[in-house]
Amino acid sequence: MKNKEDTPLVILTGHRKSGTSMFHRLFDGVDGVNLYPPDISILYAYFPCFTSRNSISDSELRDRLVYVVRESIDRILIHNPSAVNIEKFLSIFKIEICNIDLRDKSDVIFSIYNAWIKYQDVGIRSVPFLVKETSQSIFFEQYLNIFPKLKMISLIRDPRDNYAAINAGVDKYYSKMGENAFKSLSSLINRARMDLLSSKINQKKYPESFLAIQFEDLVSDTQTVMNRVANFLEIEFSPAMLKPETNGKIYTGNNFEGSKFSGVSSKNVGMWKERITIESVKTIEYWMGDIMNYWGYTSEFNLTDSQIEFSKFYEKYNCEYF
């Protein structure tokens, strides 16, 4: 068993529906990393909303933690039912979390790492343990203090296309969690801005430990971008890094339109003009135009016109949240 300080950890991150699932699947079958197949999930479905409640017992926390891990693995089994023997892995994981601080992120992440190593029965491996989680770049320095060998890769996407991908799933998926189109837009202009801004700051401050890549580059020239990623991770480039797979089976995507892809696809790049309203575009550009411009995403509308539209959005926003 390694110490936390000696554990080479890689976190893939980005705003939801920015292409991170496809990006994650490009590491399937790559010898240079030890891929944890599902989203690690605990960093938003367990921490901090459950762990911050003093009224919750350790037994309840343990049950919640196991539940989150099970649910995350169940989601990848949809793409490949043989990807993970879920009962075998969970039996190992339950032992790993018996004597840890269930409210400590590093302890829980390290327990998942140790359980996965034991599940694979490979002993200690020196290759990086690679996990995926949504919107974690804001916590980069916190993780780096715990795991000094950490490397984080953030996937950046045009927030207008990003919102179009989310908006396509409002009726079918997000509405079941109480989220309508307005709430989705409210979330995007805040959380996507946070991701793009923190990625800018982290990459400038920690160029050896933090890398931001753009979705549009990844899907248009996958080999060039993945070579850059391999160099950043100090691993050998593999042709497997050009094909998104789940335990050797083609990953067909998780978009809400039901489209099935046979590999990396650029189909929806720039399609926001056809997929979302002008009002939504102006709202996004007004609030995110500066950081969009930094990443090369040019605004369609001038700031004055967008401000008029944003004022209407703000009235609803104010009523909804304040």
Side-chain angles (χ1 to χ4, degrees):
M1 179 186 296
K2 286 180 174 288
N3 296 319
K4 295 175 191 175
E5 296 77 13
D6 297 325
T7 302
L9 177 66
V10 177
I11 299 178
L12 307 183
T13 192
H15 192 267
R16 61 178 176 168
K17 304 307 292 180
S18 64
T20 52
S21 292
M22 178 271 294
F23 182 41
H24 184 213
R25 303 269 39 97
L26 291 176
F27 291 92
D28 189 88
V30 175
D31 290 336
V33 298
N34 188 358
L35 177 72
Y36 185 62
D39 287 19
I40 198 168
S41 298
I42 57 157
L43 299 175
Y44 64 89
Y46 178 72
F47 292 105
C49 296
F50 288 85
T51 55
S52 61
R53 301 177 194 171
N54 293 329
S55 60
I56 296 182
S57 68
D58 279 359
S59 177
E60 291 171 317
L61 283 176
R62 196 170 288 110
D63 288 344
R64 174 67 186 180
L65 184 53
V66 171
Y67 171 79
V68 170
V69 171
R70 178 185 290 277
E71 286 293 302
S72 65
I73 294 175
D74 275 342
R75 291 180 184 179
I76 68 157
L77 297 183
I78 295 172
H79 299 281
N80 186 344
S82 64
V84 179
N85 182 331
I86 191 169
E87 299 304 332
K88 178 182 177 182
F89 174 68
L90 286 177
S91 66
I92 298 170
F93 180 61
K94 289 175 183 177
I95 295 172
E96 287 295 318
I97 62 174
C98 281
N99 298 305
I100 67 166
D101 183 349
L102 295 163
R103 301 176 191 270
D104 184 288
K105 281 185 182 180
S106 62
D107 273 11
V108 175
I109 293 172
F110 197 53
S111 294
I112 292 175
Y113 166 75
N114 285 324
W116 187 246
I117 291 293
K118 292 177 181 178
Y119 166 77
Q120 294 175 307
D121 194 25
V122 292
I124 296 176
R125 294 184 60 174
S126 59
V127 298
F129 181 54
L130 188 148
V131 300
K132 169 189 172 268
E133 187 69 289
T134 302
S135 294
Q136 294 301 303
S137 59
I138 194 69
F139 303 114
F140 172 71
E141 287 187 315
Q142 178 188 125
Y143 296 139
L144 189 62
N145 287 332
I146 302 168
F147 298 100
K149 293 187 177 181
L150 167 71
K151 293 202 173 186
M152 183 178 284
I153 306 174
S154 178
L155 189 60
I156 303 298
R157 187 178 188 180
D158 186 326
R160 296 163 297 192
D161 274 335
N162 200 166
Y163 178 63
I166 294 169
N167 191 54
V170 167
D171 292 337
K172 295 179 181 179
Y173 182 73
Y174 296 116
S175 62
K176 296 176 183 178
M177 298 181 286
E179 187 171 322
N180 56 26
F182 177 78
K183 287 188 176 181
S184 292
L185 181 56
S186 301
S187 172
L188 177 115
I189 65 171
N190 288 299
R191 295 168 70 195
R193 178 178 175 81
M194 175 190 74
D195 283 343
L196 269 62
L197 185 58
S198 58
S199 293
K200 171 187 174 182
I201 293 169
N202 293 338
Q203 184 163 255
K204 284 187 173 183
K205 189 174 181 180
Y206 300 99
E208 295 183 357
S209 301
F210 189 98
L211 175 67
I213 62 171
Q214 292 179 256
F215 174 81
E216 296 79 12
D217 295 336
L218 179 63
V219 298
S220 65
D221 192 353
T222 309
Q223 183 161 343
T224 297
V225 172
M226 292 308 291
N227 262 298
R228 182 183 172 203
V229 168
N231 288 336
F232 172 72
L233 296 179
E234 300 178 276
I235 64 174
E236 185 176 347
F237 173 80
S238 165
M241 300 173 83
L242 303 177
K243 300 181 297 180
E245 296 183 340
T246 302
N247 202 26
K249 290 191 176 182
I250 289 293
Y251 174 75
T252 56
N254 64 350
N255 65 87
F256 294 114
E257 291 92 342
S259 299
K260 300 295 183 183
F261 300 116
S262 58
V264 176
S265 173
S266 60
K267 176 183 176 182
N268 284 324
V269 172
M271 291 298 290
W272 55 267
K273 294 182 180 180
E274 299 179 19
R275 301 176 76 196
I276 58 176
T277 66
I278 290 175
E279 291 79 11
S280 298
V281 174
K282 288 182 176 180
T283 298
I284 292 168
E285 290 183 356
Y286 182 79
W287 201 242
M288 299 185 64
D290 56 340
I291 194 64
M292 285 172 58
N293 183 66
Y294 175 83
W295 292 108
Y297 304 121
T298 304
S299 294
E300 185 81 359
F301 300 97
N302 67 58
L303 200 59
T304 302
D305 286 346
S306 295
Q307 180 166 285
I308 293 170
E309 189 56 50
F310 192 87
S311 69
K312 300 174 186 177
F313 169 83
Y314 175 67
E315 286 187 323
K316 297 178 183 178
Y317 187 89
N318 201 31
C319 291
E320 180 73 31
Y321 296 105
F322 301 111

